[in-house]
Amino acid sequence: MAPPATSRPPTPTASAPTATSSSRIDSPSLKAALAMALIHYKRLPAAAATGTSSPPLLHWKRKAKDRKREVLRLREELKLLQDGARGEDMEPPVASCRCHFFDGCGDLPTQPCGGGGGEQEHWIDEVLRRRFLRLVRWKEKRRRVDRPLPRSSLIDFCSEDEVQQLSMSIDFLVQLSDSIFAKREAAHSFPTFSHQAVDFILASLKKILSSERETELVGEIIDGLVTRLMKRMCTVPEKADTSDSDAQFSVQHLLRKLGNDEFIGQRIILAVSQRISNASERLLLVDLFDDAFPDMHGNIFIMIQLAEFLISDYVKDWLCNEHIDKRLFEEFTRSILKARNDLQVLENMNGLYVVYIERVIGRLAREVAPAAHQGKLDPEIFSKLLC
């Protein structure tokens, strides 16, 4: 007889949890622990990022956000400029104090005027130069509104050298001189901006020449400045009035102040004397009743006056400079003598031409006499000045 089969208890499977495991999952403490673990896990990435980010990185992130906001603001301003919504009110404010840059305009110096050779610069001069350069950059950006800006233009503005700064400042000064002819009157900011432009150009030129680099390129830039300002000084618009002559004398004063540096001053006198010779040749062919005759007549006098100002103000100081370009000095002296000979042909038309140019040559002869006796000037040229 077979033994009776014994019954075994069923083996629990994974799909059938026991009452014990079910009770553990339903435990409130376990649920709270899981919830806390999930919250802690979600906070881990933010905490890790904060822990790994260094303070300089956060600083530059903030700077990038600020720069982005600034770029957006500038874009909005450019849109306003393109739409014509804002005009002269975009001009940055200037100091309310009166600029004395044009005081004494048209007056000869009562005593020899120093060229500023031994003067020490004050710290405020450097502050004004930096402020003026920011203004020039801002104007240059406005001028390029209608043209596509090159890539990395901001980097170019930051890395520009002295020659580029000089070129931009010259463009700014020429545009200022154009503005007084266009508006028929000088804006209240014109003396201040002109003063800053002239000072910045002279300081930049002195720094470039002291390093003895790019001399030929700088000479071409200065020749262009002199030519452009001379053209504006000798251009009288149609329907001219008193304000137009004032604008001409303002440009003459700018050239006079720029002549403080012999590198510019000698080129101005050379350009003036050559232009006088050209004007005298043209007057021989112009009808006295031609509408252009009074303007040409006035231009000759304003150019002779400019030459007299420069010679009276600076020639003695130029000759004291050991690094003066003697070749250029002798060249403009010969050119003045040629201008006198050309004006003598017009003596029957107007004898005042010769009277004024003789006064200029006499003043030049007095100024160069000590240098000629010391052998610094060609004796032949000096003898022709005395004839």
Side-chain angles (χ1 to χ4, degrees):
M1 188 173 180
T6 58
S7 60
R8 298 180 180 178
T11 304
T13 60
S15 59
T18 60
T20 305
S21 62
S22 177
S23 62
R24 289 179 180 176
I25 292 176
D26 295 336
S27 173
S29 59
L30 181 59
K31 289 182 178 180
L34 289 173
M36 293 297 294
L38 288 173
I39 294 174
H40 182 66
Y41 177 76
K42 290 181 178 180
R43 290 180 177 178
L44 274 178
T50 306
T52 56
S53 298
S54 58
L57 182 59
L58 293 175
H59 169 73
W60 287 112
K61 283 183 178 180
R62 286 194 297 269
K63 291 274 288 185
K65 291 181 180 179
D66 295 339
R67 181 58 58 87
K68 186 176 180 180
R69 286 194 294 267
E70 182 71 13
V71 169
L72 293 175
R73 185 183 64 81
L74 290 175
R75 285 178 180 173
E76 292 300 322
E77 290 184 0
L78 287 176
K79 290 179 182 178
L80 292 174
L81 285 172
Q82 289 174 333
D83 296 336
R86 297 176 69 180
E88 293 302 320
D89 57 334
M90 285 290 294
E91 292 276 353
V94 297
S96 58
C97 61
R98 181 176 181 272
C99 180
H100 301 276
F101 183 67
F102 285 94
D103 289 358
C105 177
D107 298 335
L108 285 170
T110 55
Q111 56 184 1
C113 177
E119 299 178 358
Q120 296 182 352
E121 296 182 354
H122 194 268
W123 63 269
I124 198 171
D125 295 334
E126 185 60 30
V127 174
L128 290 174
R129 288 189 195 121
R130 289 198 300 267
R131 180 186 181 277
F132 170 73
L133 186 56
R134 287 196 299 269
L135 173 64
V136 170
R137 290 168 174 165
W138 177 79
K139 287 279 189 180
E140 185 71 11
K141 290 178 183 178
R142 285 189 60 185
R143 192 170 63 86
R144 296 179 179 178
V145 166
D146 297 330
R147 295 182 299 171
L149 288 174
R151 280 195 320 175
S152 66
S153 59
L154 293 177
I155 298 177
D156 293 339
F157 274 118
C158 296
S159 62
E160 63 199 1
D161 57 9
E162 289 286 338
V163 177
Q164 290 174 326
Q165 293 179 5
L166 176 64
S167 181
M168 286 196 309
S169 304
I170 287 173
D171 292 338
F172 178 81
L173 182 60
V174 173
Q175 290 173 9
L176 275 179
S177 64
D178 287 340
S179 67
I180 60 174
F181 285 102
K183 300 176 182 178
R184 299 295 183 90
E185 62 179 358
H188 66 280
S189 59
F190 177 75
T192 303
F193 288 158
S194 300
H195 193 176
Q196 292 180 0
V198 169
D199 286 351
F200 189 88
I201 290 172
L202 293 177
S204 299
L205 182 63
K206 182 179 179 181
K207 186 175 181 180
I208 294 171
L209 295 179
S210 63
S211 62
E212 297 182 355
R213 60 182 179 87
E214 306 285 357
T215 306
E216 184 176 353
L217 176 60
V218 173
E220 294 177 358
I221 293 175
I222 296 302
D223 288 339
L225 167 65
V226 173
T227 302
R228 295 162 71 184
L229 288 181
M230 284 286 297
K231 182 178 179 180
R232 283 151 180 82
M233 185 184 72
C234 297
T235 300
V236 180
E238 296 182 0
K239 300 179 181 180
D241 53 14
T242 306
S243 61
D244 292 318
S245 63
D246 293 342
Q248 283 185 294
F249 284 113
S250 296
V251 178
Q252 182 200 64
H253 191 69
L254 291 178
L255 287 166
R256 181 181 179 181
K257 290 296 184 179
L258 288 169
N260 190 356
D261 192 294
E262 66 271 9
F263 192 85
I264 304 179
Q266 294 183 92
R267 286 168 168 79
I268 294 175
I269 297 179
L270 178 60
V272 164
S273 56
Q274 291 175 346
R275 201 174 183 99
I276 290 174
S277 297
N278 295 335
S280 62
E281 294 175 1
R282 290 179 58 195
L283 279 177
L284 289 175
L285 306 175
V286 174
D287 185 2
L288 296 179
F289 297 98
D290 193 331
D291 294 338
F293 177 79
D295 297 339
M296 298 173 63
H297 169 77
N299 288 337
I300 289 181
F301 283 114
I302 198 172
M303 288 188 290
I304 294 176
Q305 187 183 44
L306 175 59
E308 185 177 11
F309 283 150
L310 292 171
I311 291 171
S312 303
D313 292 342
Y314 307 120
V315 164
K316 184 177 293 185
D317 295 313
W318 294 348
L319 292 173
C320 295
N321 188 355
E322 297 179 357
H323 302 287
I324 186 175
D325 189 346
K326 295 181 180 179
R327 179 195 60 80
L328 184 59
F329 189 91
E330 294 177 353
E331 183 179 357
F332 84 69
T333 304
R334 292 191 184 95
S335 183
I336 289 180
L337 293 172
K338 182 180 181 302
R340 178 181 63 180
N341 296 334
D342 294 334
L343 290 176
Q344 285 176 348
V345 181
L346 302 175
E347 190 170 7
N348 293 332
M349 182 183 299
N350 192 332
L352 290 177
Y353 295 145
V354 180
V355 172
Y356 286 137
I357 196 69
E358 286 286 359
R359 188 173 70 177
V360 173
I361 292 177
R363 186 176 292 272
L364 179 60
R366 289 195 300 270
E367 298 295 342
V368 303
H373 293 313
Q374 296 173 7
K376 296 181 179 180
L377 187 65
D378 188 353
E380 181 182 355
I381 297 177
F382 179 65
S383 63
K384 289 182 179 179
L385 287 174
L386 299 177
C387 293

